[in-house]
Amino acid sequence: LHRAAGQLRQRPSSGDRGTSRIRLILVTAELGLAIVLVICASLLIVSLAKVLPVNPRFDPQGVLAFDVSLPQTRYPDFAERNQFFQSVFREVRSVPGVTGACAINEIPFDADASMSYVPEGGSKAANALPRTVTPECFDVLRMRIVSGRRFRRDEPVRAAIVTANFARAAWPGESPIGRRVHLGVSGGSLIEIVGVVEDSMQRALDGGRAPQFYEVAGADSAFPPSRGVVRTAAGPEYVPP
């Protein structure tokens, strides 16, 4: 009887077995979660190691972007919108440390919708990210013009600067300067190419250099500017005393 009683005392109860099973499940789950976190951390480190040395071919250091929302009823035409932008930028440029300001419809890495452009006299469209800018944007973003010229303050016609890869796709082996493209379809509005800018990354740091089409802001621009871009010497977070 004493031996049987001792064996009974040593035998684990069903409650003890249930607790041990739950503990085992929890330990296994924690181990699995730890492995997943280690794998994710490793992938993040590998990804950072790949993108940190990448040169996007524009300079984002010291640049601040902000949205500008203009009610259509108050600013119905380009002249009024442009006057508003210029007054804003005059005030912005007067802030100590600000070295430049411009307007653009989409900032880099913020939109990737493409537009079709058909070279005049051709039928095959070339696609590009549509950008509408004021003339100062290439200086503010420090994008290098490789041929042709920059935008003038008052262009006599609808004018554009395209990236080198767009020029190669639209006019292989030929200079695009002075050429024209139809917007959207072969019968669309004509836009004259006045310059070529270096290819840059606009979708993602690991997404390649998509062709871009920069039209100078004007009354006929298909995509009016709605973002302000400011370059500062002291960093965007600097607050003047």
Side-chain angles (χ1 to χ4, degrees), residues 32-162:
L33 180 59
I35 293 173
V36 171
L37 290 175
V38 169
I39 293 173
C40 291
S42 301
L43 292 175
L44 178 60
I45 292 172
V46 171
S47 299
L48 284 173
K50 289 181 178 179
V51 301
L52 285 178
V54 171
N55 182 359
R57 299 297 175 182
F58 66 89
D59 184 7
Q61 299 298 321
V63 173
L64 172 68
F66 58 92
D67 292 336
V68 179
S69 179
L70 298 180
Q72 187 66 26
T73 54
R74 186 174 178 182
Y75 301 92
D77 57 36
F78 170 75
E80 291 176 309
R81 293 195 301 272
N82 185 56
Q83 185 177 5
F84 173 83
F85 269 111
Q86 294 307 319
S87 64
V88 169
F89 291 147
R90 277 195 298 272
E91 295 295 326
V92 170
R93 292 187 188 102
S94 67
V95 176
V98 171
T99 59
C102 70
I104 191 171
N105 67 317
E106 296 290 355
I107 60 175
F109 309 135
D110 205 39
D112 62 358
S114 293
M115 187 71 185
S116 296
Y117 302 90
V118 181
E120 185 178 25
S123 58
K124 184 179 179 181
N127 294 326
L129 303 179
R131 298 288 185 261
T132 305
V133 298
T134 54
E136 306 85 0
C137 271
F138 295 106
D139 289 329
V140 172
L141 292 174
R142 294 178 179 170
M143 301 176 71
R144 188 168 68 93
I145 302 295
V146 296
S147 66
R149 62 172 176 82
R150 297 174 181 272
F151 290 132
R152 299 189 180 109
R153 175 62 56 187
D154 296 309
E155 292 286 352
V157 297
R158 290 185 70 173
I161 293 175
V162 298

